Amino acid sequence: MPTQAKTFQNYLDALDALTVSRQGRPGMLIEGATCDSREVRSGWLFVAIPGAREDGTRYVQAALRAGASAVVSTVPLTLPEGVAHVQVADAYAAAALVAEVLYDFPSRGLRLLGITGTNGKTTSAFLLRDILARAGRRVGMVGTVHYDIGGKIIPADRTTPPPFILQKLFRQMCDAGIQDVVLEASSHALEQRRAGTATFAGAIFTNLTGDHLDYHQTMDNYFAAKRILFSQGLARGVPAVLNGDDAYGAALHQQMQSSRDTGRPVSFGCHAGSDVRMTDIDTSVRGGRMVLDFGTAPSLELSCPMIGLYNLYNVAGVAVLARQIGIDDEIIREAVAAFTGAPGRLEPVYSPNGASVFVDYAHTDDALHNVLSSLRALKPARLSVVFGCGGDRDRSKRPRMGRVAAELADRVYVTSDNPRTEDPDAIIADIVAGIVSGTDTRVVSDRREAIRTAIAEAQAGEIVLVAGKGHETYQEQNGVRRDFDDIREVRLAMGL
């Protein structure tokens, strides 16, 4: 899928608002662009991003040796004669704009629907995709599990990929005749403006709980990053569907009502002040039911096979947005009734001895609380949980996750998740620090062994939750990714 060469002026026009200084012939041809010096070819433009771990300016010389004819950076550079340069105020935002020019602004030919929040993004995205497909739309999806180009599935490396990958996906979707794109918007992607000038035709805010504070430092910063989707990313008058029962969702609703944000806020929740109220709620082992009260508009009764109140919140947000963008109620009802969840989200495996195991992506204390609470409501003979925490990520949530596990599970198996560059035992120690004395706790650093031990000790009527990795099929340690699939490990442990 090659793109046609652009002039340097094309890129200058896109970067105008970010430009500090510029040099180079506006009419010179730029054959391609990238922020990875290893991809540079003769006549290409290289964007040097000063990232958290690698500073792109260190690779300018490598890009020049590979044939770069133009460089974008946040710092002044001394470059060979004939090499163009643009100094910009924000390299992340510049990379997104460059990528848009490279791929001819593909988002302009798509209807983008965004979903952001800490928990529930993936389940909401899969459900919204199903509803749109059932309505006869050609749908693509960009999210945590995979990228879907109208049925062509690409494994996801990040929830929202970097700009050059994201714009390439959008271009592929346009070329494939995709009409709608459901996109999970991560806080990192929003803060780094990875979507460039793309505007969304609707968005959902699921909730906000402690996560990614290694990057954002404070919850206020984390919330500010999420808010970018609603303050800068929405087309005028389009629905912004917000979980009003979440404190941050309620704050966002109030801010949007009193500001000049272009989106139209619509809150949902159980409390009486919601624009759309969740009523007649019933949850059981068979799933959940509720009625969405739209006030003066007809109500919408929904039943779904997913368990847990938190999943009803996911369903409610999606159903409200679907109706707001004109999807027929019967289509919404049918899609919700048939939806069993996203991969790795409370995915069940049943043991021959009568025990039940659920694999879930829950990797924050709030998500772990929601899942364990839902499983506790099934009244198991015993509830056990196997989990760890990722290395090189928010350390503050580790003891909180230990505390939640101790409060809601009868037995806790603390193990490794993705240690990355950290010592697995040090991560485990952070988790154990939050577990109250007297809790039935087993520390088994090896994740495979922890899963096998928990299943071997489970009897008929018991439930084991294996949490933290969900759909992931690898375990990362010391920069190496090894094959590891919780679902597969559970089945092997059961002899299935």
Side-chain angles (χ1 to χ4, degrees):
M1 186 196 55
T3 59
Q4 291 185 338
K6 308 294 191 301
T7 66
F8 185 46
Q9 185 64 55
N10 294 139
Y11 291 99
L12 290 176
D13 290 342
L15 295 171
D16 184 61
L18 295 174
T19 299
V20 176
S21 66
R22 64 182 69 179
Q23 66 181 42
R25 294 184 296 105
M28 68 183 294
L29 285 181
I30 302 294
E31 300 291 342
T34 182
C35 60
D36 187 338
S37 62
R38 296 167 297 185
E39 297 176 352
V40 173
R41 300 292 182 269
S42 179
W44 280 36
L45 181 152
F46 173 63
V47 184
I49 296 177
R53 297 184 182 178
E54 290 283 355
D55 186 347
T57 57
R58 293 175 52 197
Y59 298 92
V60 169
Q61 292 304 315
L64 293 174
R65 287 193 296 271
S69 60
V71 178
V72 174
S73 70
T74 56
V75 296
L77 295 174
T78 301
L79 299 171
E81 186 176 351
V83 176
H85 179 237
V86 185
Q87 184 181 347
V88 295
D90 185 334
Y92 281 112
L97 296 173
V98 167
E100 284 193 290
V101 173
L102 177 66
Y103 289 105
D104 299 316
F105 296 89
S107 68
R108 295 176 182 176
L110 301 166
R111 180 170 71 167
L112 302 183
L113 300 166
I115 302 172
T116 198
T118 304
N119 303 312
K121 295 190 298 298
T122 299
T123 297
S124 299
F126 271 80
L127 176 57
L128 182 56
R129 182 189 62 173
D130 284 6
I131 290 173
L132 292 166
R134 192 175 286 259
R137 305 285 294 181
R138 288 183 57 81
V139 191
M141 185 171 70
V142 177
T144 305
V145 175
H146 59 232
Y147 311 140
D148 180 355
I149 306 174
K152 177 185 176 183
I153 303 299
I154 301 172
D157 184 56
R158 305 186 194 186
T159 295
T160 316
F164 288 95
I165 296 176
L166 181 61
Q167 296 300 329
K168 182 178 181 179
L169 289 171
F170 285 163
R171 171 48 55 200
Q172 290 173 323
M173 290 179 185
C174 281
D175 293 347
I178 298 298
Q179 299 167 298
D180 299 335
V181 178
V182 179
L183 184 142
E184 293 183 53
S186 71
S187 56
H188 296 69
L190 289 167
E191 187 164 288
Q192 295 169 8
R193 309 300 200 275
R194 290 181 193 168
T197 62
T199 56
F200 289 76
I204 299 172
F205 180 90
T206 60
N207 51 65
L208 198 75
T209 61
D211 199 12
H212 304 304
L213 298 188
D214 55 312
Y215 179 83
H216 296 292
Q217 301 299 314
T218 68
M219 287 297 293
D220 285 344
N221 291 342
Y222 185 27
F223 179 48
K226 294 292 191 183
R227 193 183 187 286
I228 290 169
L229 176 60
F230 302 91
S231 62
Q232 301 175 34
L234 298 183
R236 183 163 299 280
V238 303
V241 177
L242 316 171
N243 179 358
D245 286 350
D246 177 84
Y248 288 97
L252 180 56
H253 186 265
Q254 184 176 20
Q255 290 171 8
M256 291 191 72
Q257 284 184 315
S258 60
S259 72
R260 295 183 178 180
D261 291 349
T262 54
R264 173 172 50 85
V266 181
S267 66
F268 69 93
C270 296
H271 72 280
S274 302
D275 296 322
V276 180
R277 191 174 181 188
M278 299 165 61
T279 66
D280 299 314
I281 291 173
D282 179 48
T283 60
S284 72
V285 68
R286 294 179 296 276
R289 296 186 296 106
M290 66 179 164
V291 174
L292 295 180
D293 181 355
F294 285 80
T296 56
S299 61
L300 180 58
E301 185 173 350
L302 299 170
S303 298
C304 75
M306 294 186 296
I307 66 172
L309 177 61
Y310 70 98
N311 270 320
L312 287 182
Y313 274 93
N314 294 331
V315 169
V318 171
V320 172
L321 178 61
R323 182 188 266 195
Q324 292 287 318
I325 62 174
I327 305 297
D328 183 76
D329 283 357
E330 189 57 32
I331 290 173
I332 298 173
R333 274 192 290 266
E334 290 174 357
V336 169
F339 186 68
T340 56
R345 272 63 179 174
L346 269 185
E347 195 166 341
V349 184
Y350 300 107
S351 172
N353 74 351
S356 300
V357 179
F358 290 86
V359 173
D360 194 85
Y361 189 55
H363 61 282
T364 68
D365 49 309
D366 182 69
L368 191 61
H369 182 279
N370 287 336
V371 175
L372 285 173
S373 296
S374 298
L375 295 176
R376 173 63 70 190
L378 303 181
K379 296 181 169 50
R382 182 171 65 192
L383 176 59
S384 299
V385 60
V386 181
F387 79 103
C389 290
D392 303 330
R393 297 293 187 269
D394 184 2
R395 291 186 60 179
S396 67
K397 69 180 180 182
R398 296 173 186 173
R400 296 200 306 268
M401 290 184 70
R403 184 164 54 252
V404 166
E407 289 174 353
L408 292 173
D410 301 307
R411 179 172 291 173
V412 178
Y413 297 84
V414 184
T415 188
S416 297
D417 190 288
N418 289 318
R420 298 186 177 89
T421 66
E422 282 195 67
D423 177 1
D425 291 334
I427 298 172
I428 288 172
D430 288 342
I431 298 170
V432 171
I435 297 177
V436 297
S437 177
T439 302
D440 185 355
T441 305
R442 320 289 174 88
V443 173
V444 185
S445 181
D446 183 273
R447 190 173 183 91
R448 179 175 288 111
E449 187 60 32
I451 291 171
R452 289 178 177 177
T453 301
I455 291 173
E457 295 178 350
Q459 302 298 318
E462 295 186 17
I463 289 178
V464 178
L465 171 67
V466 179
K469 293 178 61 59
H471 65 280
E472 292 179 350
T473 57
Y474 63 86
Q475 190 172 35
E476 183 177 346
Q477 187 168 5
N478 295 324
V480 177
R481 285 190 174 189
R482 298 180 177 85
D483 290 343
F484 195 98
D485 182 340
D486 279 356
I487 288 285
R488 181 174 182 272
E489 293 300 329
V490 167
R491 292 185 181 280
L492 287 173
M494 290 180 178
L496 299 177

